Amino acid sequence: MSCSFSQAVAASSYQTWTKVVGKSGEDIRVCSRKNLSDPGEPIGVILCAVSSLWLPLSPHLLFDFFRDESRRSQWDAMFGGDKAKTIANLAKGQDRGNSVTIQTIGSKENNNNNMWILQDSSTNSSESMVVYSGVDVTSMQSVMSGCDSGSVTILPSGFSILPDGADSRPPLLITRRKDDKTCDTHGGALLTAAVQILTDTSPAAKPTLESVEYVKSIICCTLKNIRTSMCCEED
């Protein structure tokens, strides 16, 4: 899933990116592509929006923020603001940050029970990634019982987190939450956020202005939620 995410947001001669500007001046790149036969993704026209920004936060702190299920509603503009709950956790290595989780959104009473969120988290000294996608519950249950995973279609969105390398930068005043104590740190994080949506199930279709505005609004709202939730202050 992370590999598919990286391929979708990477620059290449096969993908033409168009610059659009968010309501608050965000620099966003939008690209459309068609999936004709890949069974791992939904068939049709896929629209991807990407934006990068610098945050005065340590990459580790930002990575933990995205992994924390109790704080998902504070940033996730795609799957709503309901409470998330992890129902499965598969470790991928010794570092607890390297894992694959399955999450549900909302209470049993309000959850329509037809979609879960599959999330892949990975981290090392040079980069961290949190990639997620909505998945069909029935298909995932089949995979969990030992059936072929080829029946699951995934359209990943997510985040890439890089250290900015500015170890000599003057200390920044960081506030994690309004009720948390502040602390000093050096440098910050370069955050790249990407959102992918299926705009039409027909590969012959073309992206509409409404679909571009929709994906742009999702990424702008996500970035705004992140800034607000992390209460970043530069002194």
Side-chain angles (χ1 to χ4, degrees):
M1 187 165 68
S2 293
C3 181
S4 175
F5 172 80
S6 298
Q7 290 176 345
V9 303
S12 73
S13 58
Y14 298 101
Q15 297 182 151
T16 301
W17 294 89
T18 301
K19 180 180 179 180
V20 296
V21 179
K23 291 183 179 180
S24 301
E26 296 92 346
D27 187 348
I28 303 170
R29 297 295 193 275
V30 176
C31 175
S32 66
R33 57 189 174 88
K34 299 180 179 181
N35 181 27
L36 302 176
S37 59
D38 184 357
E41 289 186 337
I43 302 298
V45 179
I46 297 170
L47 194 62
C48 180
V50 179
S51 186
S52 297
L53 74 160
W54 177 83
L55 291 172
L57 299 166
S58 73
H60 179 73
L61 180 64
L62 199 55
F63 179 65
D64 285 346
F65 170 67
F66 291 129
R67 291 182 59 252
D68 187 349
E69 64 176 25
S70 68
R71 305 192 71 181
R72 185 179 198 99
S73 61
Q74 297 179 22
W75 59 263
D76 193 344
M78 177 175 287
F79 294 107
D82 291 330
K83 183 178 179 181
K85 179 181 179 181
T86 297
I87 59 175
N89 190 322
L90 175 65
K92 298 193 300 180
Q94 293 183 350
D95 191 304
R96 65 181 182 85
N98 292 308
S99 64
V100 176
T101 60
I102 298 176
Q103 299 179 358
T104 60
I105 298 294
S107 64
K108 293 182 179 179
E109 292 77 13
N110 298 327
N111 193 353
N112 56 18
N113 277 336
N114 63 0
M115 187 189 71
W116 287 341
I117 296 178
L118 181 66
Q119 181 163 295
D120 184 10
S121 304
S122 56
T123 185
N124 55 49
S125 59
S126 60
E127 179 187 21
S128 297
M129 294 180 67
V130 177
V131 180
Y132 58 93
S133 174
V135 292
D136 178 70
V137 170
T138 303
S139 298
M140 278 303 302
Q141 287 175 333
S142 298
V143 173
M144 294 169 70
S145 64
C147 296
D148 185 6
S149 61
S151 62
V152 180
T153 58
I154 295 176
L155 192 58
S157 299
F159 308 97
S160 171
I161 307 167
L162 299 172
D164 65 2
D167 293 333
S168 60
R169 186 187 299 275
L172 298 164
L173 187 62
I174 307 302
T175 304
R176 293 172 57 187
R177 303 188 195 184
K178 292 181 179 180
D179 56 346
D180 284 349
K181 295 181 179 180
T182 59
C183 60
D184 289 340
T185 185
H186 290 270
L190 298 175
L191 174 68
T192 296
V195 171
Q196 293 194 97
I197 62 170
L198 180 70
T199 64
D200 202 297
T201 56
S202 171
K206 294 183 179 180
T208 63
L209 180 60
E210 289 77 11
S211 63
V212 174
E213 288 297 320
Y214 175 69
V215 75
K216 185 176 74 172
S217 68
I218 291 178
I219 200 164
C220 287
C221 185
T222 300
L223 295 177
K224 180 181 178 181
N225 289 345
I226 294 169
R227 293 191 189 98
T228 301
S229 298
M230 300 306 288
C231 300
C232 300
E233 298 175 2
E234 184 169 349
D235 189 16

